[in-house]
Amino acid sequence: MNDNKYSQKIKELIKEMTLEEKTSLLSGKDFWSTKEIIRLKIDSIYLTDGPHGVRKQSIESKELSLQKSVSSTCFPTACCSACSFDPNIMYEMGEAISREAKANKVAVVLGPGINIKRSPLCGRNFEYFSEDPYLAGKMASGWINGLEDNGIQSSLKHFAVNNQETLRLIIDSVVDERALREIYLYAFEIAVKEARPSTIMCSYNSVNGVFASENKYLLTDILRYEWGFDGIVISDWGAVNDRVEALKAGLDLQMPATNGYDDKKVYDAVKENIIDEKILNKVVERLLYFSLYSMDNIDDDFSYDKEEHHNIARKIAENSIVLLKNDDKILPSKKENTIAVIGEFAQKPRYQGNGSSLINAYKIDTTEEYFKENNLEFNYAKGYDSNSLEIDNALVEEAVNIAKDKDIVIVFAGLINSYESEGFDRKHLNLPENHNHLIEEIAKVNKNIVVVLSIGAPVLMPWIDKVKGVLNLYLAGEAAVSAAFNIIFGLVNPSGKLAESFPLNLEDTPSYKYFPGGNKAVEYRESIFVGYRYYDKAEKNVLFPFGFGLSYTTFEFSNLIVSDANTIAGLDNIHVVFDVENTGNVFGCEVAQIYVSAPENNIFKAQKELKAFIKVFLQPKEKKTIILKLNKRSFSFYNSDTKQYEIENGIYTIYIGNSSRNLLLSKSMEIHSINYYQKKIDNYFNFNDINISDNEFEKLLGRKLKPINIKASKPYNLNNNMSDLLHENLAKDFYNKLLSGLDNLFKDDKTDTKKMFESMMLETPLRSLSTMSGEIITREDIETLINTLNNN
């Protein structure tokens, strides 16, 4: 907002505006747009879902719907694109999405989502980048810059500590200050400082007892004062608890519309001197800048090349897909091989997740089209019904018969929408049994199997020792299938690296004992030990480690040089220099990853943490010298006593590798600082499993714990949800009315979206139920329900 272009205009507008006009700008006009003020020539601005495409609601669709949106390119989801480890290709995605937004007269695309993958069970993990905040922040920055350099505004989300779908609208995330800073806020900090997003979306949940929408510590003290954010803060849809408190805390725009209900609360608060009008004016100033900038970047005659964007989607997928196993060099496959392609996902691919990010794809590549276009022969068997969990023995028998005499069998398998989605969390890490059973049966007659996975998060692979290849597509967008076959046939050399660890079992995950918490709160007792930080510290074997991915060529790292730093100040100019050589015979890309290991004197630490990375593109036998820079932050921990980042005295080791568990070069250096002392909690220093007592977690938090489970009782209020009330007969009738409305709304649903909405309606606080139900239930209905229940 540091743009003087609009300053004078904004001052003049504020002078002219009535109090009613000012407060009118504080919330949406409808579900997707802001209010206009015709008298002052302030237009309504359109916002739409992202983040891997433009999900603009069709004009003819007035009700809440995920089915009726305009056609647009479905780019790879964040779980996939993060594996590119390439901010430049994220820039390319953001740039393409900006063109589609312009063509649809959209001013804001709601994304990217950079919440940390605390647990692989989170149902919305497909929409997030990583378990590592540094990687997430860098990938988000690339996407934001690509979008915003072309005049379209981003909305970095969900701020903050929103790491589960279970009770996401009311849960209180209880996290210690160090983990908050180092893990859950760090990706946001990187993106805000490096990419300057125009808007940030606050999350639904509470953070340490205060709703994110009215959390001044997050929205103002950290976001604006510490990080220098100067854009607008938007609520997630229906996230506002108390509009007056939210305004005081730094929330600018409430979405969606409240039919003037909450605007009136702010109007009255100003009139009654509860809020100084100067505070309101500051918010209105930001909203006017947002509107004027958006108006200037609307193009009434803009178009884009849909085929070009489809090709970009394929390119991003090709750079992100991860080759996890390649025994006997089964890949790349020769085109002359006899080939069986098994699994319905080959013909009806699962290429995106379910929920608010659901794109109406421009076109979807299929196996049949790919083989036809490339004059290739193959035999296909469906293998399973992707709309069912039942094993169909006839389909399995057909697949086995087709597979048994082929040179290579390519099995498409993965998760289905009823297993993972926005709105609910997974209960386990298993693939559907009919997918696992199919692979096991084919393995009895042919060992030359490559499993192609379409998943939004890690899964268990009980058949891993019975197949020769595993290619992880994640959810790779509308061109997923053609990208996969380009890799399978060697037209593209795979270069993706896992942006998260794949555990051997659910019980090994760091938050296993604490996820998803109780009915009121979830405790982050594992603190900073998320993902590889935990698996390394606990010395746990994993199925596949963070940063891992195979190639069709080989690479060699050599000649590590690290510049000396004699002072703490000198750490801002540490250069790490090394060579990477492609020692194979085909072009390839390697991701060089720098990890830093810090001394663990009096402060518990991870064994190592990612601090820099670069994707290196190399011709056969080509060698490049890489120079990466580290800074003070690369060596720091957050001291919750002094409220700042500090560097502990001792020996630090810089590692270079191509995964978190394949470290090829190292160099140690001594940093002279001071020893910091904190209350020592032994279980955070040495553990095989995270098992933190109440007393230990209270010691870490610096305060007493509150119950995470609280049974609802009268008097009920607007922050109760339907789940709290279902023991009341009247509430059951009310909920059944709601379900009946959903049945009608989703009568043509083919994506299991209804299941997501059923979960949301059960967990949504009553204050937001009217908005989130698409007015199936009115505000008056809710008030009548509460009054009746409370008065028997």
Side-chain angles (χ1 to χ4, degrees):
M1 218 176 87
N2 297 321
D3 188 339
N4 292 324
K5 177 180 178 182
Y6 303 109
S7 296
Q8 189 57 39
K9 174 74 169 172
I10 289 169
K11 286 178 184 176
E12 291 169 0
L13 283 170
I14 288 177
K15 282 181 183 177
E16 275 196 69
M17 293 174 79
T18 65
L19 180 58
E20 190 171 23
E21 286 172 333
K22 290 175 185 177
T23 57
S24 75
L25 293 182
L26 299 179
S27 65
K29 170 186 176 180
D30 48 37
F31 213 80
W32 295 112
S33 57
T34 64
K35 296 193 195 81
E36 68 276 337
I37 301 178
I38 297 171
R39 180 179 75 86
L40 300 175
K41 298 181 179 177
I42 298 169
D43 293 345
S44 176
I45 303 304
Y46 202 95
L47 304 85
T48 197
D49 278 322
H52 47 267
V54 175
R55 197 193 75 79
K56 184 180 182 185
Q57 198 102 347
S58 297
I59 293 171
E60 63 272 13
S61 174
K62 299 299 182 185
E63 79 276 17
L64 180 64
S65 172
L66 297 184
Q67 309 300 308
K68 299 172 182 177
S69 58
V70 300
S71 171
S72 60
T73 309
C74 182
F75 294 94
T77 61
C79 65
C80 175
S81 60
C83 297
S84 71
F85 273 69
D86 188 355
N88 292 324
I89 213 163
M90 296 308 299
Y91 184 98
E92 201 168 340
M93 184 196 292
E95 193 174 38
I97 289 173
S98 75
R99 290 192 287 268
E100 300 199 16
K102 272 187 183 291
N104 284 287
K105 297 181 177 56
V106 168
V108 182
V109 177
L110 303 175
I114 58 170
N115 296 100
I116 293 298
K117 298 183 180 186
R118 178 186 179 227
S119 168
L121 293 178
C122 175
R124 204 174 181 180
N125 272 356
F126 64 85
E127 215 174 309
Y128 303 138
F129 289 118
S130 181
E131 68 188 31
D132 183 83
Y134 181 82
L135 175 61
K138 291 292 183 179
M139 301 304 283
S141 295
W143 190 97
I144 292 165
N145 282 324
L147 191 84
E148 300 231 2
D149 283 355
N150 292 278
I152 303 300
Q153 298 171 87
S154 61
S155 192
L156 186 64
K157 63 184 187 181
H158 307 88
F159 192 65
V161 204
N162 168 210
N163 309 102
Q164 64 188 61
E165 292 300 285
T166 303
L167 295 169
R168 63 173 174 160
L169 292 99
I170 59 170
I171 201 76
D172 181 18
S173 299
V174 181
V175 59
D176 70 279
E177 185 70 14
R178 183 172 165 212
L180 178 68
R181 295 293 192 137
E182 292 185 18
I183 304 295
Y184 297 102
L185 295 186
Y186 187 33
F188 287 96
E189 181 182 359
I190 290 170
V192 167
K193 290 180 175 179
E194 294 187 4
R196 297 186 66 238
S198 293
T199 85
I200 283 183
M201 182 191 293
C202 80
S203 56
Y204 290 111
N205 54 287
S206 295
V207 180
N208 291 328
V210 182
F211 280 110
S213 62
E214 53 196 63
N215 197 314
K216 180 177 176 292
Y217 180 59
L218 289 176
L219 302 187
T220 297
D221 298 348
I222 293 176
L223 186 58
R224 295 195 188 278
Y225 296 161
E226 289 189 30
W227 299 349
F229 176 70
D230 61 359
I232 68 167
V233 176
I234 302 175
S235 75
D236 203 341
W237 268 230
V240 172
N241 170 54
D242 182 317
R243 187 63 185 101
V244 174
E245 290 304 312
L247 187 77
K248 290 178 184 177
L251 186 125
D252 301 299
L253 177 60
Q254 177 182 11
M255 289 297 290
T258 66
N259 296 320
Y261 183 82
D262 279 351
D263 301 343
K264 179 69 163 54
K265 288 182 180 178
V266 177
Y267 180 94
D268 291 342
V270 173
K271 283 290 189 182
E272 294 164 16
N273 295 319
I274 296 170
I275 293 180
D276 191 323
E277 192 168 353
K278 289 179 182 176
I279 294 174
L280 175 62
N281 286 346
K282 188 64 181 173
V283 171
V284 172
E285 181 183 323
R286 292 193 289 260
L287 290 169
L288 287 172
Y289 177 90
F290 165 73
S291 296
L292 294 173
Y293 180 84
S294 300
M295 288 159 59
D296 274 358
N297 283 280
I298 294 295
D299 192 326
D300 289 328
D301 188 27
F302 190 89
S303 62
Y304 65 96
D305 186 329
K306 293 186 176 184
E307 279 300 314
E308 179 191 4
H309 280 206
H310 184 73
N311 292 335
I312 292 171
R314 181 184 298 114
K315 174 186 171 183
I316 296 168
E318 289 169 349
N319 278 271
S320 305
I321 290 169
V322 186
L323 180 61
L324 293 176
K325 185 175 183 179
N326 195 25
D327 286 2
D328 300 332
K329 295 185 178 178
I330 191 169
L331 296 179
S333 172
K334 296 175 183 176
K335 292 186 176 181
E336 311 85 67
N337 281 340
T338 56
I339 300 168
V341 179
I342 311 293
E344 191 174 20
F345 279 175
Q347 288 292 77
K348 290 170 59 179
R350 183 166 185 258
Y351 57 93
Q352 63 177 323
N354 199 30
S356 59
S357 65
L358 193 68
I359 300 297
N360 178 13
Y362 159 58
K363 72 176 187 179
I364 304 164
D365 291 348
T366 66
T367 296
E368 185 174 6
E369 290 169 352
Y370 184 91
F371 277 76
K372 187 175 180 180
E373 288 170 7
N374 289 276
N375 296 312
L376 297 171
E377 297 292 327
F378 78 108
N379 292 104
Y380 169 73
K382 185 177 179 181
Y384 54 81
D385 182 346
S386 59
N387 294 316
S388 170
L389 298 177
E390 300 298 319
I391 295 169
D392 187 320
N393 290 321
L395 291 179
V396 173
E397 185 179 352
E398 178 194 22
V400 169
N401 287 332
I402 285 175
K404 61 186 175 184
D405 62 347
K406 298 300 185 294
D407 294 329
I408 185 169
V409 182
I410 302 164
V411 181
F412 281 74
L415 294 173
I416 56 180
N417 283 343
S418 63
Y419 269 44
E420 63 174 353
S421 170
E422 179 182 351
F424 57 87
D425 291 319
R426 297 160 73 194
K427 304 300 182 188
H428 52 72
L429 299 181
N430 302 324
L431 289 174
E433 186 53 34
N434 52 1
H435 293 227
N436 280 332
H437 179 74
L438 175 67
I439 296 166
E440 297 275 3
E441 291 301 302
I442 292 172
K444 292 176 181 177
V445 300
N446 196 326
K447 303 302 179 187
N448 296 320
I449 300 171
V450 175
V451 176
V452 179
L453 290 171
S454 298
I455 55 178
V459 295
L460 304 184
M461 304 180 197
W463 34 259
I464 188 68
D465 294 329
K466 300 174 185 177
V467 304
K468 289 188 176 179
V470 179
L471 191 65
N472 182 15
L473 308 189
Y474 274 111
L475 300 175
E478 64 181 41
V481 169
S482 58
F485 280 116
N486 282 345
I487 289 173
I488 287 168
F489 290 117
L491 281 70
V492 172
N493 190 349
S495 61
K497 301 283 187 175
L498 289 178
E500 62 188 323
S501 309
F502 274 51
L504 283 169
N505 56 68
L506 178 59
E507 291 76 15
D508 283 346
T509 59
S511 60
Y512 173 68
K513 294 184 177 75
Y514 314 114
F515 183 97
N519 69 356
K520 295 302 174 188
V522 54
E523 295 170 344
Y524 286 52
R525 295 199 184 198
E526 70 279 5
S527 187
I528 65 167
F529 296 108
V530 177
Y532 71 87
R533 288 167 169 81
Y534 169 73
Y535 298 118
D536 290 352
K537 182 86 167 184
E539 298 182 343
K540 296 265 187 196
N541 290 327
V542 293
L543 185 58
F544 297 107
F546 174 85
F548 174 80
L550 300 174
S551 172
Y552 295 153
T553 188
T554 53
F555 301 94
E556 184 175 287
F557 291 69
S558 61
N559 303 325
L560 174 62
I561 301 171
V562 179
S563 61
D564 292 327
N566 298 318
T567 64
I568 294 291
L571 290 174
D572 264 338
N573 199 31
I574 293 280
H575 288 83
V576 181
V577 184
F578 55 95
D579 292 337
V580 183
E581 181 179 2
N582 180 350
T583 54
N585 297 313
V586 295
F587 172 81
C589 311
E590 179 63 301
V591 177
Q593 302 162 38
I594 296 184
Y595 295 87
V596 173
S597 174
E600 191 176 50
N601 300 325
N602 299 300
I603 312 297
F604 62 81
K605 307 272 178 61
Q607 278 193 0
K608 60 184 175 294
E609 296 179 305
L610 183 72
K611 299 298 180 181
F613 62 87
I614 187 171
K615 193 160 194 171
V616 187
F617 300 79
L618 294 164
Q619 296 295 334
K621 311 305 179 187
E622 182 182 9
K623 180 191 288 187
K624 286 183 181 178
T625 297
I626 306 302
I627 303 174
L628 293 175
K629 194 175 174 183
L630 301 178
N631 55 38
K632 280 190 287 190
R633 191 65 172 270
S634 308
F635 303 90
S636 302
F637 74 97
Y638 186 82
N639 189 330
S640 54
D641 291 338
T642 63
K643 308 295 183 191
Q644 60 187 10
Y645 281 90
E646 320 240 47
I647 297 172
E648 198 171 15
N649 186 66
I651 303 296
Y652 291 74
T653 303
I654 295 169
Y655 294 99
I656 314 296
N658 59 8
S659 86
S660 61
R661 293 211 168 166
N662 192 35
L663 307 174
L664 304 165
L665 306 172
S666 66
K667 186 174 175 64
S668 295
M669 58 189 290
E670 185 171 8
I671 295 177
H672 298 286
S673 180
I674 63 174
N675 283 320
Y676 291 93
Y677 294 92
Q678 291 183 328
K679 299 166 187 172
K680 194 161 183 178
I681 306 170
D682 289 340
N683 272 340
Y684 284 110
F685 283 83
N686 300 294
F687 55 78
N688 297 114
D689 292 290
I690 289 284
N691 191 19
I692 305 299
S693 69
D694 289 356
N695 287 339
E696 288 170 322
F697 193 47
E698 286 179 344
K699 198 172 178 182
L700 184 68
L701 287 172
R703 63 181 183 275
K704 285 287 185 184
L705 291 172
K706 295 179 180 179
I708 64 171
N709 283 297
I710 301 174
K711 186 177 179 180
S713 60
K714 295 180 182 179
Y716 302 121
N717 60 64
L718 288 171
N719 276 322
N720 286 117
N721 59 22
M722 289 307 304
S723 183
D724 291 334
L725 307 180
L726 283 184
H727 62 281
E728 303 270 10
N729 288 330
L730 183 63
K732 281 183 187 174
D733 293 341
F734 190 89
Y735 183 58
N736 288 333
K737 175 186 173 184
L738 189 55
L739 290 182
S740 177
L742 287 178
D743 286 341
N744 183 57
L745 193 59
F746 291 99
K747 59 181 181 293
D748 299 320
D749 175 41
K750 296 180 177 63
T751 63
D752 285 317
T753 304
K754 182 186 165 192
K755 181 181 176 182
M756 180 193 86
F757 271 88
E758 285 178 351
S759 175
M760 285 176 60
M761 292 306 103
L762 199 59
E763 297 181 355
T764 296
L766 297 176
R767 60 178 157 79
S768 302
L769 200 53
S770 173
T771 297
M772 301 309 291
S773 71
E775 298 292 333
I776 292 172
I777 300 295
T778 67
R779 188 181 296 272
E780 290 72 23
D781 290 334
I782 293 161
E783 290 173 351
T784 299
L785 174 68
I786 293 175
N787 290 334
T788 305
L789 289 174
N790 286 336
N791 294 301
N792 297 315

